[in-house]
Amino acid sequence: MVYDPLHRQYVQIPPIPGDLAAFTRHPGSRLYETYFEPFLAPAAWEEEDESSLRVFCNVMSKVKVVTFVFSLVTGMWQAVASFSIGTHEWIRHPILMNCHCAHSCFYWTDYCQRVMLVLDTLEMNFSVVDLPPESKGKDKSIVGAADGRLGLLILHDFEFHLYSKTRQDNGVGTEEWRHDNTIPLPNCYWSISNGGASEGYVLVRGIPRDQYHSGKFPEKKPDAQYFTLQLKTLLFERLCVLKFETSHDYLYASFPPPLSPPSI
């Protein structure tokens, strides 16, 4: 089900048909060994009407990833891309991967890896692309950088490191990653939000170290401070403070067009 929080409307999406779902199975596999990851195509990629809504769903087994797309125009699911995992065993653990979206592509990164999985939604194909060695074991996010370049934010201690490279038809150019900037951060424990980048901004969460080490944690959880980083100007601004136990990592931005009834 796709829910529009601004207009309080929703659209119910039918299940992936059994004959298509069977395409993802391999001999001896069980349903509980298959992982489903639904996500929306950003509204900016589509025409400005509700019929342009597209829902993606990655179905991951131990041996491959298959991407399905549902369109309100046809009212049907369609298998559009597949990728054999092969030696990329880290892809077999999708719960550890973070999904990012930039320049009509989706990117999946893993904290412990220095490569990423890329889905080009224009060509509808997958590829595996190298990341800088410094990205291994670091929190990171794929973003849209200046001049139409592909950006990579790496969080290290009290700094953001911004890398970029050119883009090509498969979503990533062949040149090496270039280190563009270092952005100092206040004295907090930092994490990049699961929501990733939206409309040129990145949402990050910081927990002040003095609160964390005050001796009252975990009985009294510290506040979570949210900041935005504007990628074009590298301006770092405080957004809000939320209670740690009730805060979440999704920033409402870049809404899709209003959905069809029924409404809530």
Side-chain angles (χ1 to χ4, degrees), residues 112-176:
C112 296
Q113 303 296 324
R114 52 153 297 183
V115 293
M116 63 179 175
L117 180 66
V118 182
L119 171 63
D120 183 341
T121 63
L122 299 180
E123 299 293 331
M124 287 302 178
N125 56 39
F126 281 100
S127 59
V128 173
V129 175
D130 289 334
L131 295 173
E134 298 82 4
S135 67
K136 186 174 182 178
K138 303 289 192 308
D139 201 5
K140 44 190 170 279
S141 181
I142 302 297
V143 298
D147 301 323
R149 293 169 64 85
L150 183 67
L152 168 67
L153 271 178
I154 299 176
L155 179 60
H156 180 61
D157 292 335
F158 306 115
E159 294 176 333
F160 265 134
H161 294 271
L162 178 62
Y163 292 76
S164 72
K165 68 185 308 182
T166 56
R167 296 187 300 112
Q168 290 183 339
D169 292 340
N170 66 344
V172 181
T174 56
E175 72 164 346
E176 296 296 322

Side-chain angles (χ1 to χ4, degrees), residues 14-247:
I16 297 175
D19 57 339
L20 286 181
F23 181 60
T24 67
R25 304 285 294 276
H26 65 280
S29 67
R30 296 178 174 87
L31 181 61
Y32 66 81
E33 295 176 328
T34 304
Y35 181 84
F36 293 81
E37 181 192 22
F39 47 97
L40 284 174
W45 300 358
E46 309 291 343
E47 299 296 330
E48 291 300 321
D49 64 81
E50 60 191 34
S51 64
S52 64
L53 176 71
R54 288 194 301 168
V55 178
F56 284 71
C57 185
N58 277 351
V59 182
M60 302 182 183
S61 68
K62 290 184 176 181
V63 297
K64 62 183 173 181
V65 182
V66 180
T67 300
F68 297 90
V69 174
F70 177 84
S71 171
L72 284 183
V73 175
T74 63
M76 299 175 61
W77 284 98
Q78 179 183 7
V80 296
S82 65
F83 177 80
S84 296
I85 292 175
T87 59
H88 301 287
E89 295 186 1
W90 58 278
I91 299 177
R92 296 192 178 102
H93 307 282
I95 197 170
L96 301 178
M97 297 161 57
N98 290 318
C99 182
H100 318 272
C101 160
H103 301 305
S104 302
C105 292
F106 288 98
Y107 306 85
W108 286 268
T109 60
D110 183 290
Y111 182 86
C112 296
Q113 303 296 324
R114 52 153 297 183
V115 293
M116 63 179 175
L117 180 66
V118 182
L119 171 63
D120 183 341
T121 63
L122 299 180
E123 299 293 331
M124 287 302 178
N125 56 39
F126 281 100
S127 59
V128 173
V129 175
D130 289 334
L131 295 173
E134 298 82 4
S135 67
K136 186 174 182 178
K138 303 289 192 308
D139 201 5
K140 44 190 170 279
S141 181
I142 302 297
V143 298
D147 301 323
R149 293 169 64 85
L150 183 67
L152 168 67
L153 271 178
I154 299 176
L155 179 60
H156 180 61
D157 292 335
F158 306 115
E159 294 176 333
F160 265 134
H161 294 271
L162 178 62
Y163 292 76
S164 72
K165 68 185 308 182
T166 56
R167 296 187 300 112
Q168 290 183 339
D169 292 340
N170 66 344
V172 181
T174 56
E175 72 164 346
E176 296 296 322
W177 289 93
R178 182 184 76 191
H179 185 273
D180 291 339
N181 265 296
T182 300
I183 305 115
L185 300 171
N187 186 21
C188 294
Y189 289 108
W190 293 100
S191 61
I192 304 174
S193 79
N194 293 332
S198 178
E199 296 297 320
Y201 287 84
V202 174
L203 180 68
V204 295
R205 183 177 71 177
I207 301 175
R209 295 198 174 204
D210 56 351
Q211 286 191 29
Y212 191 91
H213 295 292
S214 65
K216 299 179 180 180
F217 186 79
E219 289 80 8
K220 177 177 170 38
K221 291 183 172 59
D223 294 332
Q225 301 188 18
Y226 284 82
F227 295 79
T228 57
L229 173 65
Q230 187 178 13
L231 297 171
K232 184 176 181 179
T233 63
L234 300 183
L235 181 63
F236 193 73
E237 292 185 305
R238 181 167 169 170
L239 178 65
C240 63
V241 177
L242 298 175
K243 293 298 180 182
F244 182 85
E245 62 269 21
T246 59
S247 61

